[in-house]
Amino acid sequence: MTARDDLLEGRTSLGIEFGSTRIKACLIGSDATEVLATGSFSWENRLEDGLWTYAIDEVWQGLQAAFADLVADAHDRYGVKPATFGAIGISAMMHGYLAFDEAGDLLVPFRTWRNTNTGVAAAELTELLGVNIPLRWSIAHLHQAVTDAEAHVPQLDFVTTLAGYVHWKLTGERVLGVGDASGMFPIDSATGDYDSRMIAAYDERAADRLPAPVTNLLPAVLSAGAAAGTLTAEGAALLDPTGALQHGIPLCPPEGDAGTGMVATNSVAPRTGNVSAGTSIFAMVVLEHPLAEVHHELDLVTTPAGDAVAMVHCNNGASELAAWAGLFTRFSAAAGQPLDDDAVFDTLFREALEGEADAGGLIAYNHLAGEPIAGLTEGRPLFVRTSDSAFTLANFMRAQLYGVFGTLALGMQVLAAEGVGLDRMFAHGGMFRTAGVAQRFLAGALNAPVAVGELASEGGAWGIAVLASYLAHAQDTDLGTFLDESVFASASLSTADPDPADVAGFTTYLDRYRAGLAIEAAATENL
């Protein structure tokens, strides 16, 4: 059995993930570890009327472009343009607010996870429900609209996430994977559905201000492996306007990027976790027992199978690091010795290894947007040093890499104080492609072993393709066993143990970072 046979006979699984800067498509064969083809489309959020959004038309433009790119890649590699698949999965950035009326029309522009205008609603809901409701959660966006008596609220018929929206249009099914749903409204892991006590409390609070009970507005919740509909003829035309794609293909429950990150790093068992670094950065740790207290730094979400997870989510990830790398890319070109982006990143990252363990007293804040964990409603990227700091390129780059992990480390310290055990942390995202640098520094920041896998470069798009392939195995095995035995059994992992010098150095850096947050706050007020 060859990859070409898989393509011709539809023994494949297609995963498409809407990330914050790229829409990625990934096709795997009957061997889930084998990536047969990929495709992508670049896009960016934009600030309109004070809110971060993406144009809905660009959702479909990007989906079609990424799919066409994947089909072309399959044809280039194997001489086959796939017209059907064994299964399809859709995933996307979690949270946010997509609201529709009874006719299926969008009522207000898509409000993404990045918005921080929901402070009043999030605080009220946290007090009402007794769990932390972050600013970016869908229920916070909904309740803020209710609180503000926005004109569209009486017309509400359906509220969903980006993954749920795309899945709905492809299949006609208003459903959501439990991991993504857990970023809309709290989930009861015992039932795998929205927490009934909290639903009742919210319905009582919003009864005279919503047109229907909240469960009538939210997607139905499904766990990994559940049937979530099939690709309709209309959906096939949306995905592939050429008309070559067949309809009737089964889809797995749509998931969020946190859930696909857990799958892509085999982090669905207790005492395992993962870090995903992109435009945002977040850590997920699967819990052995409930947390003792409510913490604003921690979200309680679930794995795609419905098990409880503590999530440390930071709005700002590697974007500021990439901006600095772009500066050096331009410098190389201006100097007449141009380097491509990968070469610049590799050079700068390796230079960071020569830096002092505490980055020589330099501090980098990556806050392009507000950061709730750090107490910031707006962001101002800053690079700060004192007159006696050791201002070298090596220390500068180490400070920039440490800065990506700064706010994350503040949240992880809260988990550590709760006594949450962590045997291993998997990392994925583009910044981990340079071997032994960001991975090593993250191990020092978390004081825990950090593993990077050979499959992690495809990230969440591969993870949702694996969840799609799990549809055919769900009757016979649970998700964790499927991943252990059918996907990761032969995977090559590189594990970095924390270096005591890095741990001590990052601790010193984080103390300065925490103290300097007052500078960040002053910048947002005065710049």
Side-chain angles (χ1 to χ4, degrees), residues 74-411:
H75 185 261
D76 289 345
R77 295 194 200 189
Y78 307 104
V80 177
K81 289 187 175 180
T84 190
F85 308 100
I88 298 174
I90 301 295
S91 64
M93 301 168 280
M94 290 177 67
H95 320 297
Y97 184 71
L98 279 155
F100 301 89
D101 64 17
E102 191 173 0
D105 294 327
L106 189 66
L107 291 169
V108 291
F110 172 30
R111 298 171 182 177
T112 78
W113 56 271
R114 200 173 188 181
N115 289 296
T116 55
N117 64 307
T118 56
V120 171
E124 181 182 343
L125 291 172
T126 297
E127 181 180 1
L128 174 69
L129 304 180
V131 296
N132 181 41
I133 301 296
L135 301 180
R136 66 188 180 281
W137 276 31
S138 303
I139 189 61
H141 285 275
L142 172 62
H143 192 57
Q144 191 66 53
V146 169
T147 300
D148 294 340
E150 292 193 34
H152 75 275
V153 170
Q155 303 171 63
L156 283 172
D157 184 66
F158 183 43
V159 175
T160 190
T161 65
L162 181 55
Y165 165 63
V166 175
H167 183 95
W168 171 40
K169 292 301 182 181
L170 295 182
T171 66
E173 300 291 337
R174 295 183 174 190
V175 299
L176 206 58
V178 63
D180 204 6
S182 69
M184 292 195 80
F185 194 92
I187 295 290
D188 180 353
S189 288
T191 64
D193 204 346
Y194 302 119
D195 187 291
S196 59
R197 178 190 65 80
M198 297 183 194
I199 286 286
Y202 184 71
D203 279 340
E204 183 177 353
R205 179 65 57 93
D208 59 344
R209 293 180 287 172
L210 279 177
V214 69
T215 47
N216 291 16
L217 305 177
L218 301 180
V221 181
L222 298 175
S223 292
T230 58
L231 186 67
T232 63
E234 295 81 6
L238 275 174
L239 187 53
D240 178 24
T242 71
L245 180 61
Q246 300 174 17
H247 64 275
I249 302 169
L251 273 78
C252 69
E255 264 299 347
D257 51 358
T260 58
M262 283 185 268
V263 171
T265 54
N266 194 19
S267 306
V268 299
R271 298 181 65 88
T272 66
N274 77 90
V275 169
S276 175
T279 301
S280 64
I281 184 170
F282 55 82
M284 314 284 291
V285 178
V286 186
L287 300 175
E288 295 177 283
H289 50 73
L291 299 180
E293 298 179 27
V294 176
H295 302 278
H296 81 273
E297 299 91 346
L298 305 177
D299 308 356
L300 293 179
V301 292
T302 77
T303 70
D307 295 313
V309 172
M311 179 180 191
V312 179
H313 184 282
C314 308
N315 285 349
N316 300 279
S319 294
E320 179 68 0
L321 176 68
W324 279 104
L327 193 80
F328 287 103
T329 300
R330 174 56 193 153
F331 173 80
S332 70
Q337 299 184 10
L339 298 174
D340 64 26
D341 291 343
D342 286 344
V344 168
F345 273 107
D346 186 75
T347 301
L348 293 174
F349 276 38
R350 297 201 182 284
E351 179 70 8
L353 293 173
E354 304 301 318
E356 297 173 49
D358 68 346
L362 311 182
I363 307 173
Y365 294 100
N366 64 337
H367 301 141
L368 285 157
E371 195 61 83
I373 290 177
L376 301 169
T377 57
E378 295 183 53
R380 299 291 186 275
L382 293 176
F383 171 67
V384 183
R385 65 189 180 101
T386 60
S387 56
D388 60 348
S389 297
F391 189 27
T392 66
L393 180 61
N395 283 338
F396 172 80
M397 284 311 301
R398 186 174 282 227
Q400 292 294 336
L401 285 159
Y402 278 5
V404 175
F405 304 137
T407 310
L408 183 79
L410 296 178

Side-chain angles (χ1 to χ4, degrees), residues 12-17 23-29 32-40 66-67 70 73 85 87-89 455 457-466 468:
T12 55
S13 298
L14 171 65
I16 299 175
E17 179 156 283
I23 301 170
K24 296 173 63 178
C26 177
L27 186 64
I28 60 177
T33 65
E34 185 177 8
V35 175
L36 305 183
T38 61
S40 68
F67 180 78
L70 177 138
D73 187 34
F85 308 100
I88 298 174
L455 300 171
S457 63
E458 298 302 333
W462 179 74
I464 190 63
V466 170

